[in-house]
Amino acid sequence: MLHLIAPLVVLAQTPTATTAPLEHYRLVHVAPSEFAGRPRLLSALGFDHVAQDAASGALELTANEEQLGELNANHVTYTVVIEDMASWYAARLTPAAQVAPQFGAWLSPPFATGSLGGYFTFAEVASVLDQIHVAYPTLTTAKASIGTTLEGRSMWMIKLSDNPGIDENEPEVRIDSMHHAREPEGMQSSLWFMLYLLESYSTDPLAKYLLDNRELFFIPVVNPDGYVYNQTTNPGGGGMWRKNRRDNGGGVFGVDLNRNYNDHWGWDNTGSSPTTSSETYRGTSAASEPEIQAMQAFIQGRQFQTALSLHTYSNLWLYPYGYAQIYPANNAQYVEVSNLATVINHYQVGPPAFILYLANGVTCDYDHDVKGSLAWTPEIGSSSDGFWPPTGRIVPLASENLLALQRTTLAAGAWLRVLSKTTTEIGDGDGFYEPGESAGVTATVRNSGRFANLPGTTLTLASSSPYATVTNGNYGLGAVASFNQVTSSPLTLAIAANTPGGVSIDYTLTLAYEGWSQVESGSIGIGQPTPFLVDDAEFDWGWSKGVAGDTAVSGLWTRGAPIGTNSSGQPASPSADNTPAPGVQCFLTGNAGGGAGTDDVDGGSTTLLSPIFDLSHCGPATLSYARWFADLTVADDTFAVSISNNGGQSWLPLENVVGNANSWTTVSFDVPSFLPQTANMRLRFVASDAPNNSLVEAAVDDLQIVIYDSAPRLNLYGKPTLGSTVLANVTGPAGTPFVLRATISSTGGATAPPASLANTRVVATGTIPATRLASVPISMTSRPAAVGHTFWLRAVLGNGASKPSSNWASLLVQ
Ligand code: 0X9
Ligand code: ZN
Ligand code: CA
Ligand code: CA
C-alpha cells in the first residue's frame, strides 16, 4: 500500500503561509518496537488515527506539529513519509472524467463530481437532500435540522421509509457520518446507500423490504463547521481539519466530537485528551458541544435498533467498547451481525480498545450504553485511500459498503435467513436418491436480527424438474426469536420412477416473511455413481496412435511405461503413469528413452484416438481421464481434446489445454452437456508443437465413464476383429451373480437385437464386485464367416425369481 505513497515524499514541502503550525499534517512511520514496553503511549500521545503499513509493519500516524513534538519529547524515532498530507491528497483528487455512477447520476452535481475534488461540499449535501426529497417525496422527508452548530449551521437529517411523515411501528436505524471534518467518504457512502434504496425500490425486493419495514434516519454531516473550514482552507479538497471549530482560547480551536459524548466521558487521558490543542480534545465537559447535544437529544428521542457512525479509514468494523478493554455483554450478537455485514468489504471486526486504540466519550459507546442499540463505528477505506481517497475511489468505497449497510439495516428488525439446508433420502436407506424414492429438504432458519418475525412466515419447496413432484411443499415457521434459530420438518418431493440416473433435480427453497422472499436453490443428483468403463491403458483395447494428416515428425503417440525426461529441472515427459500400482502403462508422445529434446513432439501435431464406446443404453454419463501436457519453456502450444458421437466423423471440443501443465491432472466432463450420447462415442487427443519452438510432451491415462443407472447396464469395449479380445462391462448391485449370454445375427450388419434369449449361449459367468462393475474379457470368434455379422450380448443378473437383464449390447465383427 505505502509503496504508492513513498515516491511522492519528495513532492511537497510547502505549507501555505496561512496555515497555522497545528494545521500542517505529515504522515509518519514509526516502528512498532518504539512502543514496546510502553503500550499506552500511543493513546497518551493523543494520536487520533493509527494504521499499520502492511508491507513494513510500521505504524502509520497522521501527525500535526504538536504530535510531532510529542514524538520528539518521548524520544520516539519516526520517518516522515508524506511532508504535507493536504496537498498530497489534493493532488489525487481529479473529478474530471468520471464514469456515470450506478446511483445518483441524475443529481446536480452528479454523484462523485462534487466541487470538493469529487466530494460534495456541505452546501451540495444540503442540495442533494432537497433533490432526493423532490424526486422521492413518498419515501423521504424533507431535510430537517436536528441542531445548530457553534457557527450557526444546520445539522441536516433526512428520514427514509414508506409513509415517511408518520412515526410507524418499524425498527429504527441511524446512519450518521462526518463527526470528523476530514472524513467525507462516510458521507458519500451514506448517500450512496440512500440512493440505492430509493432508485431500487421498485426493482429490488430487498430495497423495497428495507424501506417498507424500517425507518432510516441519516445525518450525513455531523460536523458542518469543521467541514466548511476544510472547504475554505483547501477548496480543492484534502483539508485535514478534524474537530469542530470551538474556540478554546489562545488561538487554539476544536473539540473532537467523537470524544464529547456523555458516556465514560473523560474516563482516562489515554482515550481522550484534556489538552485543548490535542486532536482528541474532549471538551470542557460531557456534551459540551452543541453538535453532540443535538446528537444525544436525537438519539434519546428515538429507539435506534442499529446505528452506524461512519468514519474513515483503516478497513475496520468497530463496535463497543472504546473506553476500556471490555467486551459488551452481547458481544456474540455484535460478532454475528458484524461478520455478516463485512463479507464483501472484509473489514476487520472488533472493539477499538482491542483492535485500534482506546477512545472514550465515543458515539458507539453512547448508543450502546444509553439506548441499548447495536452500534458500530466503521472505518471505511484502506491506508492507501486515507482521509481523502482519490476521486475514482468514491464510488468503489461506497459500493463495497453497500451490503454492510443493507445488513445492518436488516439486523434492526427480524432478519431471517436460511442458515443451512440438508437433503435426506427417503427410500431404501442406501443414501442415494434413486428413481421411485423421495427426497426430504430440511432448512435451519436463523434470525440474525433484533425482533422476532411477524406471523405468516413460510418455507416453500418447488421444482420445475419433470422428474419431481413436490409432495409436501410448505412449512409454516412460527416466531423465530431474536438471535435464535429453528429447523423445519422435511419438505418432500417424489422422484419419478422413470428418472434417468445422472440427472439433477433442481429445486428452490423460498423463505418468505414480512413481504420479502429469499430464494435458495439446490439440486439433487439422481442415482448412485457406478463406473461403466475403466481403461487404465494397461492393455490396448484398440486405440489409434497417429492418424493420416498428422504433421509431427517426432514424438508420435505410443503406449508404454513412461521413461521420464527432464528439461532445465522440470519434468517434460512423465516418469510414471497415473494408474495406482500395479498399473505402469499410459499413452504418451514419444517414449524412446532419448533426451527431452529428441523425444518430444516436433514439427506439428500428433493424434490419439480412443476406441469407440457405447453410451446409448445408459443415463447421463460422466467422462474423465488423466492428462499430462508439458510445454517448456515457451508456453505457446496446445493439447486439444475433442469428443465425437458418430465414431469420429465430426468432433466437438472438450477442452483445449494451453500452457504448461506437466503433472498428472484428472479432468471430468458431463457428457450430455456436450452432445447426445450414442453407441459411437469416441475421444481424440491432439498434441501440437506449433510453432516449433518448445518441448511438447503429452500423455493420457485412466479413461473412465461413470453412470448413475440403477438397472443393470452393459457395454462392449474394444476392437471386434477375428480372434481379438473385447471387454464386456456389466454394472449391477455388488455381490450379484450374473451370466453373459451371446448370439451372432444371421444377417450381416447392425440390426435389431434378438427378440429373446432363446438362441443365446452362455459365454461367461461371474459375480458383480464391490465396485459394482464387472469387466469380463470375451474372446471373439476366429471364424472368417463371422465377419460382417453382429455379435449380440446381454447380461442376466441374479439367481432368484426376478432376473433383471441388462440392455443388449452389440459389435460388428470386422
Ligand atoms: O478516533 C476516532 O474517533 C475514530 N478513528 S478516526 O480515525 N476516524 O478518528 C475511532 C473511534 C473508535 N471508537 C468507537 N468505536 N467509536
Ligand atoms: Zn473519524
Ligand atoms: Ca436410495
Ligand atoms: Ca496406466
Side-chain angles (χ1 to χ4, degrees):
M1 298 176 199
L2 252 287
H3 24 271
L4 295 172
I5 294 176
L8 294 162
V9 174
V10 284
L11 277 188
Q13 185 118 15
T14 50
T16 56
T18 53
T19 305
L22 277 181
E23 298 172 36
H24 181 118
Y25 291 83
R26 294 173 176 82
L27 188 72
V28 303
H29 273 189
V30 181
S33 55
E34 291 293 305
F35 295 103
R38 307 192 274 181
R40 315 205 101 202
L41 179 62
L42 202 56
S43 317
L45 289 176
F47 277 98
D48 50 278
H49 195 99
V50 184
Q52 192 155 23
D53 176 40
S56 66
L59 295 176
E60 203 179 287
L61 312 178
T62 302
N64 62 14
E65 300 276 293
E66 173 174 306
Q67 289 164 315
L68 219 56
E70 286 172 3
L71 288 178
N72 291 329
N74 284 279
H75 308 290
V76 174
T77 307
Y78 59 85
T79 326
V80 176
V81 179
I82 296 171
E83 176 55 36
D84 178 8
M85 293 195 69
S87 48
W88 183 80
Y89 279 137
R92 306 192 307 179
L93 299 175
T94 50
Q98 289 299 293
V99 285
Q102 190 187 351
F103 305 116
W106 53 277
L107 291 167
S108 169
F111 193 90
T113 66
S115 7
L116 209 51
Y119 294 86
F120 289 130
T121 62
F122 180 59
E124 284 166 349
V125 172
S127 160
V128 161
L129 297 181
D130 290 340
Q131 294 175 57
I132 284 176
H133 179 55
V134 168
Y136 298 97
T138 60
L139 294 171
T140 62
T141 62
K143 72 177 192 303
S145 180
I146 65 159
T148 304
T149 66
L150 287 169
E151 293 179 354
R153 294 190 178 86
S154 296
M155 296 171 65
W156 296 123
M157 184 279 293
I158 188 170
K159 176 185 167 189
L160 272 61
S161 193
D162 63 338
N163 311 312
I166 303 168
D167 187 1
E168 293 188 296
N169 187 21
E170 294 166 344
E172 296 180 352
V173 178
R174 186 189 84 251
I175 300 178
D176 69 60
S177 38
M178 294 199 77
H179 276 71
H180 292 144
R182 61 187 175 189
E183 301 176 7
E185 182 62 31
M187 168 270 292
Q188 298 286 157
S189 298
S190 89
L191 285 172
W192 186 255
F193 182 45
M194 291 184 225
L195 292 163
Y196 151 77
L197 288 167
L198 298 166
E199 294 180 32
S200 314
Y201 182 74
S202 54
T203 52
D204 177 350
L206 176 59
K208 179 163 168 54
Y209 172 77
L210 292 176
L211 286 175
D212 288 351
N213 295 280
R214 302 287 183 271
E215 295 190 315
L216 297 101
F217 298 82
F218 293 86
I219 304 156
V221 187
V222 172
N223 180 8
D225 292 355
Y227 195 37
V228 170
Y229 179 76
N230 276 332
Q231 292 173 203
T232 313
T233 57
N234 297 71
M240 286 293 286
W241 189 256
R242 164 182 169 92
K243 301 185 283 183
N244 74 353
R245 289 299 295 168
R246 166 72 70 185
D247 185 348
N248 297 325
V252 175
F253 288 83
V255 170
D256 183 349
L257 295 181
N258 201 28
R259 300 294 183 277
N260 193 237
Y261 280 88
N262 189 11
D263 181 275
H264 298 94
W265 179 87
W267 175 258
D268 61 22
N269 290 343
T270 62
S272 66
S273 175
T275 307
T276 56
S277 56
S278 168
E279 288 285 60
T280 56
Y281 175 51
R282 58 183 169 242
T284 52
S285 60
S288 58
E289 303 312 293
E291 295 89 343
I292 298 313
Q293 290 161 17
M295 285 297 291
Q296 289 191 176
F298 188 60
I299 291 168
Q300 292 282 4
R302 308 228 62 95
Q303 186 53 55
F304 296 119
Q305 297 302 329
T306 56
L308 289 169
S309 191
L310 303 177
H311 287 245
T312 67
Y313 60 85
S314 290
N315 288 354
L316 300 172
W317 206 254
L318 303 171
Y319 63 81
Y321 283 101
Y323 80 98
Q325 287 205 336
I326 298 170
Y327 285 100
N330 57 347
N331 188 60
Q333 297 176 0
Y334 274 107
V335 170
E336 179 171 340
V337 177
S338 304
N339 285 345
L340 288 165
T342 53
V343 297
I344 286 185
N345 65 25
H346 301 298
Y347 292 177
Q348 189 189 349
V349 165
F354 288 97
I355 67 171
L356 186 62
Y357 47 66
L358 293 167
N360 54 49
V362 296
T363 319
C364 69
D365 287 6
Y366 183 85
D367 276 306
H368 176 93
D369 280 342
V370 174
K371 296 291 282 194
S373 308
L374 286 175
W376 286 267
T377 299
E379 295 277 5
I380 295 172
S382 68
S383 63
S384 53
D385 291 313
F387 289 118
W388 292 86
T391 311
R393 293 280 294 156
I394 296 175
V395 168
L397 285 170
S399 75
E400 80 178 20
N401 281 286
L402 182 62
L403 179 92
L405 272 54
Q406 290 168 334
R407 291 189 160 185
T408 305
T409 306
L410 280 167
W415 177 16
L416 264 48
R417 52 198 190 87
V418 174
L419 189 64
S420 61
K421 61 181 184 341
T422 53
T423 55
T424 45
E425 176 212 14
I426 304 170
D428 60 8
D430 66 358
F432 296 102
Y433 302 89
E434 285 148 322
E437 297 183 334
S438 283
V441 179
T442 305
T444 297
V445 173
R446 181 154 180 92
N447 184 349
S448 297
R450 301 203 68 185
F451 285 102
N453 48 309
L454 296 177
T457 301
T458 55
L459 267 174
T460 310
L461 177 70
S463 175
S464 55
S465 164
Y467 302 113
T469 309
V470 172
T471 41
N472 174 18
N474 274 288
Y475 180 82
L477 272 91
V480 185
S482 169
F483 295 106
N484 244 298
Q485 64 198 50
V486 297
T487 298
S488 73
S489 59
L491 298 170
T492 55
L493 58 81
I495 303 161
N498 66 345
T499 309
V503 308
S504 285
I505 291 182
D506 294 333
Y507 67 85
T508 57
L509 192 63
T510 303
L511 172 62
Y513 74 103
E514 298 172 9
W516 181 39
S517 294
Q518 299 169 76
V519 182
E520 299 271 324
S521 45
S523 94
I524 300 169
I526 304 304
Q528 176 171 359
T530 305
F532 192 39
L533 191 166
V534 177
D535 183 345
D536 57 13
E538 303 305 314
F539 180 85
D540 188 343
W541 294 101
W543 292 67
S544 305
K545 298 170 283 291
V547 300
D550 279 357
T551 48
V553 295
S554 69
L556 308 184
W557 282 104
T558 181
R559 189 182 69 93
I563 306 161
T565 57
N566 280 273
S567 171
S568 36
Q570 286 227 53
S573 67
S575 55
D577 77 330
N578 183 68
T579 316
V584 288
Q585 312 252 342
C586 66
F587 294 95
L588 73 172
T589 54
N591 198 28
T598 57
D599 208 18
D600 72 315
V601 181
D602 274 324
S605 60
T606 177
T607 303
L608 174 70
L609 291 179
S610 78
I612 290 170
F613 50 93
D614 181 357
L615 295 182
S616 62
H617 299 296
C618 60
T622 307
L623 176 153
S624 66
Y625 51 84
R627 48 119 161 117
W628 171 291
F629 183 53
D631 189 5
L632 301 168
T633 51
V634 189
D636 56 2
D637 300 302
T638 56
F639 185 22
V641 187
S642 313
I643 188 166
S644 170
N645 66 358
N646 52 21
Q649 288 170 41
S650 61
W651 296 96
L652 205 75
L654 210 48
E655 63 164 345
N656 202 16
V657 187
V658 287
N660 189 43
N662 58 344
S663 59
W664 283 112
T665 307
T666 299
V667 288
S668 87
F669 304 90
D670 178 27
V671 177
S673 68
F674 287 85
L675 34 60
Q677 296 175 191
T678 68
N680 291 300
M681 308 302 297
R682 200 166 201 191
L683 288 179
R684 184 178 73 180
F685 301 85
V686 182
S688 302
D689 183 25
N692 189 4
N693 59 354
S694 38
L695 284 175
V696 169
E697 290 281 7
V700 173
D701 203 357
D702 294 322
L703 169 65
Q704 275 211 41
I705 304 287
V706 169
I707 59 170
Y708 302 84
D709 300 72
S710 31
R713 298 290 184 228
L714 169 67
N715 72 68
L716 298 172
Y717 185 61
K719 238 187 175 156
T721 51
L722 291 180
S724 74
T725 302
V726 298
L727 205 55
N729 291 309
V730 189
T731 67
T736 314
F738 66 89
V739 295
L740 280 168
R741 304 190 69 100
T743 183
I744 284 215
S745 66
S746 50
T747 53
T751 54
S756 74
L757 291 168
N759 295 317
T760 62
R761 62 188 183 86
V762 173
V763 292
T765 62
T767 302
I768 307 282
T771 58
R772 298 167 48 85
L773 170 66
S775 292
V776 185
I778 305 280
S779 299
M780 294 303 294
T781 175
S782 306
R783 287 170 44 227
V787 172
H789 289 250
T790 302
F791 171 67
W792 291 98
L793 205 75
R794 186 173 206 181
V796 181
L797 275 71
N799 40 23
S802 115
K803 289 197 168 158
S805 296
S806 74
N807 52 289
W808 284 103
S810 67
L811 285 174
L812 181 61
V813 182
Q814 298 169 22

mmCIF file of all heavy atoms in Angstrom, residues 535-538 560 562 577-580 583-587 664 700-702, ligand 4:
data_model
loop_
_atom_site.group_PDB
_atom_site.id
_atom_site.type_symbol
_atom_site.label_atom_id
_atom_site.label_comp_id
_atom_site.label_asym_id
_atom_site.label_seq_id
_atom_site.Cartn_x
_atom_site.Cartn_y
_atom_site.Cartn_z
ATOM 1 N N ASP A 535 -10.549 -47.793 -18.443
ATOM 2 C CA ASP A 535 -9.440 -48.151 -19.330
ATOM 3 C C ASP A 535 -8.176 -47.547 -18.745
ATOM 4 O O ASP A 535 -7.935 -46.337 -18.875
ATOM 5 C CB ASP A 535 -9.712 -47.623 -20.740
ATOM 6 C CG ASP A 535 -8.610 -48.037 -21.723
ATOM 7 O OD1 ASP A 535 -7.525 -48.462 -21.257
ATOM 8 O OD2 ASP A 535 -8.838 -47.907 -22.936
ATOM 9 N N ASP A 536 -7.377 -48.385 -18.067
ATOM 10 C CA ASP A 536 -6.178 -47.865 -17.408
ATOM 11 C C ASP A 536 -4.943 -47.952 -18.302
ATOM 12 O O ASP A 536 -3.825 -47.768 -17.844
ATOM 13 C CB ASP A 536 -5.940 -48.575 -16.072
ATOM 14 C CG ASP A 536 -5.824 -50.083 -16.239
ATOM 15 O OD1 ASP A 536 -5.690 -50.549 -17.398
ATOM 16 O OD2 ASP A 536 -5.868 -50.789 -15.216
ATOM 17 N N ALA A 537 -5.153 -48.281 -19.582
ATOM 18 C CA ALA A 537 -4.077 -48.332 -20.585
ATOM 19 C C ALA A 537 -3.070 -49.446 -20.320
ATOM 20 O O ALA A 537 -2.005 -49.475 -20.938
ATOM 21 C CB ALA A 537 -3.365 -46.977 -20.725
ATOM 22 N N GLU A 538 -3.420 -50.342 -19.427
ATOM 23 C CA GLU A 538 -2.510 -51.469 -19.192
ATOM 24 C C GLU A 538 -2.620 -52.490 -20.321
ATOM 25 O O GLU A 538 -1.769 -53.360 -20.496
ATOM 26 C CB GLU A 538 -2.795 -52.123 -17.832
ATOM 27 C CG GLU A 538 -2.702 -51.157 -16.641
ATOM 28 C CD GLU A 538 -1.362 -50.433 -16.557
ATOM 29 O OE1 GLU A 538 -0.313 -51.101 -16.697
ATOM 30 O OE2 GLU A 538 -1.358 -49.192 -16.392
ATOM 31 N N GLY A 560 3.133 -47.132 -23.414
ATOM 32 C CA GLY A 560 4.237 -47.785 -22.739
ATOM 33 C C GLY A 560 4.341 -47.336 -21.304
ATOM 34 O O GLY A 560 3.548 -46.515 -20.832
ATOM 35 N N PRO A 562 6.148 -45.082 -19.041
ATOM 36 C CA PRO A 562 6.882 -43.872 -19.433
ATOM 37 C C PRO A 562 8.297 -43.804 -18.849
ATOM 38 O O PRO A 562 8.528 -44.153 -17.701
ATOM 39 C CB PRO A 562 6.012 -42.736 -18.894
ATOM 40 C CG PRO A 562 5.083 -43.354 -17.930
ATOM 41 C CD PRO A 562 4.925 -44.790 -18.292
ATOM 42 N N ASP A 577 3.163 -43.679 -14.951
ATOM 43 C CA ASP A 577 1.796 -43.488 -15.434
ATOM 44 C C ASP A 577 0.939 -42.979 -14.279
ATOM 45 O O ASP A 577 1.432 -42.728 -13.177
ATOM 46 C CB ASP A 577 1.242 -44.782 -16.037
ATOM 47 C CG ASP A 577 0.812 -45.779 -14.973
ATOM 48 O OD1 ASP A 577 1.416 -45.770 -13.875
ATOM 49 O OD2 ASP A 577 -0.128 -46.547 -15.232
ATOM 50 N N ASN A 578 -0.358 -42.814 -14.519
ATOM 51 C CA ASN A 578 -1.245 -42.266 -13.484
ATOM 52 C C ASN A 578 -1.946 -43.347 -12.678
ATOM 53 O O ASN A 578 -2.428 -43.086 -11.585
ATOM 54 C CB ASN A 578 -2.297 -41.370 -14.150
ATOM 55 C CG ASN A 578 -3.215 -40.706 -13.138
ATOM 56 O OD1 ASN A 578 -2.768 -39.859 -12.373
ATOM 57 N ND2 ASN A 578 -4.482 -41.109 -13.115
ATOM 58 N N THR A 579 -2.017 -44.578 -13.212
ATOM 59 C CA THR A 579 -2.763 -45.643 -12.547
ATOM 60 C C THR A 579 -2.019 -46.092 -11.289
ATOM 61 O O THR A 579 -0.798 -46.272 -11.339
ATOM 62 C CB THR A 579 -2.912 -46.854 -13.490
ATOM 63 O OG1 THR A 579 -3.263 -46.371 -14.790
ATOM 64 C CG2 THR A 579 -3.969 -47.826 -12.993
ATOM 65 N N PRO A 580 -2.741 -46.272 -10.167
ATOM 66 C CA PRO A 580 -2.054 -46.805 -8.982
ATOM 67 C C PRO A 580 -1.448 -48.177 -9.297
ATOM 68 O O PRO A 580 -1.942 -48.884 -10.177
ATOM 69 C CB PRO A 580 -3.169 -46.936 -7.951
ATOM 70 C CG PRO A 580 -4.287 -46.060 -8.439
ATOM 71 C CD PRO A 580 -4.160 -46.009 -9.924
ATOM 72 N N GLY A 583 -0.466 -50.692 -11.952
ATOM 73 C CA GLY A 583 -0.501 -50.037 -13.261
ATOM 74 C C GLY A 583 0.823 -49.387 -13.597
ATOM 75 O O GLY A 583 1.452 -48.791 -12.729
ATOM 76 N N VAL A 584 1.265 -49.516 -14.844
ATOM 77 C CA VAL A 584 2.517 -48.878 -15.265
ATOM 78 C C VAL A 584 2.393 -48.163 -16.608
ATOM 79 O O VAL A 584 3.190 -47.281 -16.907
ATOM 80 C CB VAL A 584 3.682 -49.905 -15.366
ATOM 81 C CG1 VAL A 584 4.135 -50.349 -13.980
ATOM 82 C CG2 VAL A 584 3.296 -51.095 -16.214
ATOM 83 N N GLN A 585 1.381 -48.525 -17.400
ATOM 84 C CA GLN A 585 1.335 -48.044 -18.777
ATOM 85 C C GLN A 585 0.411 -46.836 -18.946
ATOM 86 O O GLN A 585 -0.570 -46.681 -18.229
ATOM 87 C CB GLN A 585 0.803 -49.167 -19.690
ATOM 88 C CG GLN A 585 1.453 -50.496 -19.473
ATOM 89 C CD GLN A 585 2.367 -50.874 -20.614
ATOM 90 O OE1 GLN A 585 2.295 -50.339 -21.705
ATOM 91 N NE2 GLN A 585 3.232 -51.831 -20.356
ATOM 92 N N CYS A 586 0.746 -46.070 -19.957
ATOM 93 C CA CYS A 586 -0.156 -44.991 -20.370
ATOM 94 C C CYS A 586 0.121 -44.695 -21.829
ATOM 95 O O CYS A 586 1.025 -45.272 -22.425
ATOM 96 C CB CYS A 586 0.047 -43.743 -19.505
ATOM 97 S SG CYS A 586 1.652 -42.966 -19.712
ATOM 98 N N PHE A 587 -0.674 -43.829 -22.417
ATOM 99 C CA PHE A 587 -0.394 -43.337 -23.771
ATOM 100 C C PHE A 587 0.416 -42.068 -23.625
ATOM 101 O O PHE A 587 0.133 -41.235 -22.760
ATOM 102 C CB PHE A 587 -1.703 -43.071 -24.522
ATOM 103 C CG PHE A 587 -2.482 -44.331 -24.773
ATOM 104 C CD1 PHE A 587 -3.493 -44.741 -23.913
ATOM 105 C CD2 PHE A 587 -2.166 -45.137 -25.871
ATOM 106 C CE1 PHE A 587 -4.181 -45.921 -24.126
ATOM 107 C CE2 PHE A 587 -2.854 -46.332 -26.089
ATOM 108 C CZ PHE A 587 -3.866 -46.722 -25.212
ATOM 109 N N TRP A 664 0.268 -34.985 -13.684
ATOM 110 C CA TRP A 664 -0.965 -35.711 -13.993
ATOM 111 C C TRP A 664 -2.164 -34.968 -13.407
ATOM 112 O O TRP A 664 -2.185 -34.647 -12.226
ATOM 113 C CB TRP A 664 -0.905 -37.126 -13.433
ATOM 114 C CG TRP A 664 -0.057 -38.060 -14.245
ATOM 115 C CD1 TRP A 664 1.126 -38.615 -13.887
ATOM 116 C CD2 TRP A 664 -0.366 -38.577 -15.544
ATOM 117 N NE1 TRP A 664 1.593 -39.434 -14.894
ATOM 118 C CE2 TRP A 664 0.700 -39.421 -15.915
ATOM 119 C CE3 TRP A 664 -1.431 -38.383 -16.442
ATOM 120 C CZ2 TRP A 664 0.729 -40.100 -17.150
ATOM 121 C CZ3 TRP A 664 -1.402 -39.052 -17.660
ATOM 122 C CH2 TRP A 664 -0.330 -39.900 -18.010
ATOM 123 N N VAL A 700 -1.801 -39.532 -21.710
ATOM 124 C CA VAL A 700 -3.196 -39.784 -21.321
ATOM 125 C C VAL A 700 -3.242 -41.131 -20.609
ATOM 126 O O VAL A 700 -2.556 -42.083 -21.006
ATOM 127 C CB VAL A 700 -4.121 -39.826 -22.568
ATOM 128 C CG1 VAL A 700 -5.535 -40.248 -22.179
ATOM 129 C CG2 VAL A 700 -4.150 -38.475 -23.274
ATOM 130 N N ASP A 701 -4.059 -41.200 -19.554
ATOM 131 C CA ASP A 701 -4.203 -42.461 -18.819
ATOM 132 C C ASP A 701 -5.589 -42.477 -18.170
ATOM 133 O O ASP A 701 -6.250 -41.446 -18.039
ATOM 134 C CB ASP A 701 -3.099 -42.559 -17.752
ATOM 135 C CG ASP A 701 -2.809 -44.005 -17.327
ATOM 136 O OD1 ASP A 701 -3.512 -44.917 -17.816
ATOM 137 O OD2 ASP A 701 -1.881 -44.195 -16.512
ATOM 138 N N ASP A 702 -6.013 -43.667 -17.781
ATOM 139 C CA ASP A 702 -7.189 -43.842 -16.929
ATOM 140 C C ASP A 702 -8.455 -43.158 -17.441
ATOM 141 O O ASP A 702 -9.062 -42.336 -16.757
ATOM 142 C CB ASP A 702 -6.872 -43.377 -15.493
ATOM 143 C CG ASP A 702 -5.834 -44.284 -14.851
ATOM 144 O OD1 ASP A 702 -5.894 -45.504 -15.087
ATOM 145 O OD2 ASP A 702 -4.946 -43.769 -14.145
HETATM 146 CA CA CA B 4 -1.934 -46.771 -16.669
#
